[in-house]
Amino acid sequence: MKENAETLNNNALHLIKKGNVDDAIELLKRAVTIEPENQTIWFNLGITLRDDGNFEEARHALETAHMLDPDNTEIIDTLAITCMNGEDMDAALSYCAEGLEKNELDAHLWNTFGVLYFNKNELDLAAEAFEHAITLNPYYYDALFNLRDTYEEMGNEAGKKECTEQMKNIKQNISTGGE
């Protein structure tokens, strides 16, 4: 019976959930040889490799997914995070800028931009990016968390307190079912 890329991809995702990453990577690599134009499989391969700590191979897979679907900001954001994890901050910043050019309303890209600036110790730019993410999505917990930490580093106690309160409200709404 001939192998099917979709079945290989689905089996790989199942293996990942079970913690069997090495076998999942092998299935995804076989799947992309069957369907080399399938950006979803390349994307899944890139994420799996990144999560396994293989940033160079992950970046290659994600760049292939990006080439196949250049307007997909989820791929661009994931590529930026992978470059950051691989310690290529310039490429990560470049991918964030590219993604925001395509969709300036993507709160995840703004948050990633903030993380990059925070890691470069450019706290004013980090705060601005996190604030932008929260303006787009006031319930974006990760961006609030990151903004709170940035405000703390900047000595902005009022901002830190406001973020902490908003984070408590989000957690409280989740625990009470949003009532």
Side-chain angles (χ1 to χ4, degrees):
M1 185 165 128
K2 189 174 177 183
E3 285 187 322
N4 173 306
E6 183 179 352
T7 301
L8 290 170
N9 182 58
N10 291 338
N11 289 340
L13 295 176
H14 181 72
L15 288 171
I16 291 165
K17 286 180 185 174
K18 293 175 88 175
N20 194 343
V21 175
D22 291 339
D23 288 342
I25 290 170
E26 289 309 310
L27 290 182
L28 290 167
K29 285 181 177 180
R30 285 200 334 246
V32 295
T33 63
I34 295 169
E35 282 188 31
E37 302 299 314
N38 187 322
Q39 61 86 14
T40 300
I41 298 171
W42 281 108
F43 181 72
N44 290 339
L45 177 60
I47 289 174
T48 306
L49 288 164
R50 181 198 68 196
D51 291 350
D52 196 42
N54 188 339
F55 303 120
E56 189 174 322
E57 251 189 284
R59 182 173 173 174
H60 169 73
L62 291 166
E63 285 173 340
T64 302
H66 177 48
M67 180 190 66
L68 294 169
D69 189 0
D71 294 326
N72 186 322
T73 57
E74 182 181 7
I75 293 172
I76 296 169
D77 186 45
T78 304
L79 191 47
I81 292 167
T82 301
C83 289
M84 178 179 63
N85 291 340
E87 298 183 9
D88 187 348
M89 295 302 211
D90 291 337
L93 286 167
S94 177
Y95 280 120
C96 274
E98 177 187 342
L100 289 170
E101 246 178 56
K102 294 176 188 302
N103 182 4
E104 65 186 23
L105 301 178
D106 189 317
H108 289 277
L109 279 166
W110 282 108
N111 185 60
T112 301
F113 229 170
V115 170
L116 290 164
Y117 283 127
F118 186 89
N119 287 335
K120 291 178 62 132
N121 205 32
E122 295 182 32
L123 300 179
D124 288 338
L125 292 172
E128 188 177 314
F130 295 135
E131 289 165 354
H132 206 91
I134 293 165
T135 299
L136 294 168
N137 180 357
Y139 303 101
Y140 190 177
Y141 192 88
D142 289 347
L144 277 165
F145 182 91
N146 292 333
L147 181 58
R148 182 200 62 193
D149 287 354
T150 303
Y151 283 158
E152 182 175 25
E153 289 292 317
M154 296 171 79
N156 180 346
E157 289 302 316
K160 177 184 166 188
K161 182 179 178 185
E162 188 177 327
C163 289
T164 301
E165 287 302 313
Q166 181 65 16
M167 290 165 60
K168 284 181 190 175
N169 289 338
I170 292 171
K171 277 189 172 181
Q172 189 173 24
N173 283 338
I174 291 171
S175 68
T176 61
E179 297 175 13

